[in-house]
Amino acid sequence: MLRIAFIALLLANAGYYAWSGGWLRSWGLAPADPAEPHRIEQQIRPEVLRIQPAAATAGSGGPQAPGSAAGAGGGAGGAAHRPQGTEAQSPVAALPAPGQPAAVANPSLGAPALGPAAAGAATPTASCLQAGPFDQRQADTLRVALAAAGLPADAWNLEGTPVSSRWMVYMGRFADEEALARKRSELRARNVPYDRPGAGLEPGLSLGRYATEEAAERALAALGTQGVRTARVVQERTGSTTEYVLRLPAVTEGMAGRIDRMRPALGGKPLRPC
């Protein structure tokens, strides 16, 4: 009994699979077509459909779609002269040409207005960039380079910030780039962060900068527990001084060429977003 039930269930599944896959369509057994092709066959004279030019609008006197009331003379007279059997067609909204922005109707003005995308394209986008810090000598060089590049005075500014003395945990100077690369590998293996110490201490490595000598000494002692033996504390900056940051508050694409001309005066410091 179970064997018969199993065979019947197997045959029922096979029959459903063949029916749903359309294999029995020639016998008149198939599910309804979800595409509904009969709706296409119900269209009334689709060949008379025309696309109006962008300038043609209702009541403007421009060309009208065939079969519309305006094209036939307007009002009841137009209906009288319409050939029998011709269906009245509504004007078709004009499509924008390729690459042109779409228009948004503005009923209060009676004319199409540019959409948000077109309005944004009409206004060049601007971004803020900055670079630094620079010392007094570098800032003076930058001012000359900015003027020579043709950048207007209101397109940039050099903001000065007073800074006090600063100490650094320093390693160097190394004999060559190969020795510097070996030391970097050692520090990475010990998970000790580092960066460049500045032009006056190259080739070397900075393991941290501190506002007081005491703080730098404490950091050096902590690094000793991580196996750092050849570092020392040096005074990176003496007395009070001023650091400058170059800011370009509204950089547009049209300024790119002039910015490239003054880029050598940055001394290798990159322009970053503000």
Side-chain angles (χ1 to χ4, degrees):
M1 187 64 180
L2 289 176
R3 182 179 300 175
I4 294 174
F6 175 76
I7 294 173
L9 183 61
L10 183 63
L11 292 175
N13 278 277
Y16 176 78
Y17 181 76
W19 172 80
S20 61
W23 295 356
L24 306 178
R25 191 178 301 277
S26 59
W27 293 355
L29 300 174
D33 190 350
E36 300 184 1
H38 62 280
R39 293 190 181 275
I40 298 178
E41 298 172 0
Q42 292 176 357
Q43 296 183 101
I44 301 175
R45 303 189 64 195
E47 68 276 2
V48 301
L49 187 66
R50 297 291 183 270
I51 297 178
Q52 286 183 314
T57 58
S60 64
Q64 301 294 320
S68 64
H81 292 288
R82 187 184 305 124
Q84 294 184 358
T86 303
E87 297 292 336
Q89 303 292 324
S90 298
V92 180
L95 297 177
Q100 297 297 321
V104 178
N106 191 337
S108 63
L109 299 178
L114 288 179
T123 303
T125 57
S127 58
C128 179
L129 298 176
Q130 67 180 16
F134 302 97
D135 58 25
Q136 184 64 56
R137 180 183 58 81
Q138 292 170 322
D140 294 339
T141 302
L142 265 175
R143 289 189 180 94
V144 175
L146 289 162
L151 286 168
D154 59 353
W156 57 271
N157 59 73
L158 277 167
E159 300 176 354
T161 303
V163 292
S164 57
S165 300
R166 187 167 64 186
W167 281 262
M168 176 195 301
V169 178
Y170 172 72
M171 299 183 75
R173 301 179 179 179
F174 297 101
D176 49 36
E177 288 296 325
E178 183 178 353
L180 178 61
R182 285 198 303 269
K183 186 57 66 176
R184 285 173 177 162
S185 298
E186 293 178 14
L187 293 174
R188 283 195 295 268
R190 299 177 186 273
N191 294 320
V192 176
Y194 61 86
D195 62 4
R196 297 181 63 177
L201 297 171
E202 295 279 11
L205 295 170
S206 168
L207 306 187
R209 293 174 170 87
Y210 303 89
T212 65
E213 185 176 8
E214 292 78 7
E217 292 290 351
R218 288 195 298 269
L220 178 62
L223 288 171
T225 63
Q226 296 180 255
V228 177
R229 297 286 182 266
T230 59
R232 66 184 189 278
V233 172
V234 298
Q235 189 169 9
E236 181 186 18
R237 191 172 55 213
T238 58
S240 297
T241 184
T242 302
E243 285 187 346
Y244 295 86
V245 174
L246 171 65
R247 186 181 297 270
L248 304 167
V251 178
T252 62
E253 293 183 2
M255 298 169 60
R258 284 177 283 182
I259 290 176
D260 285 340
R261 288 196 293 271
M262 53 76 57
R263 198 177 293 273
L266 296 176
K269 295 183 178 179
L271 284 168
R272 306 180 305 275
C274 298

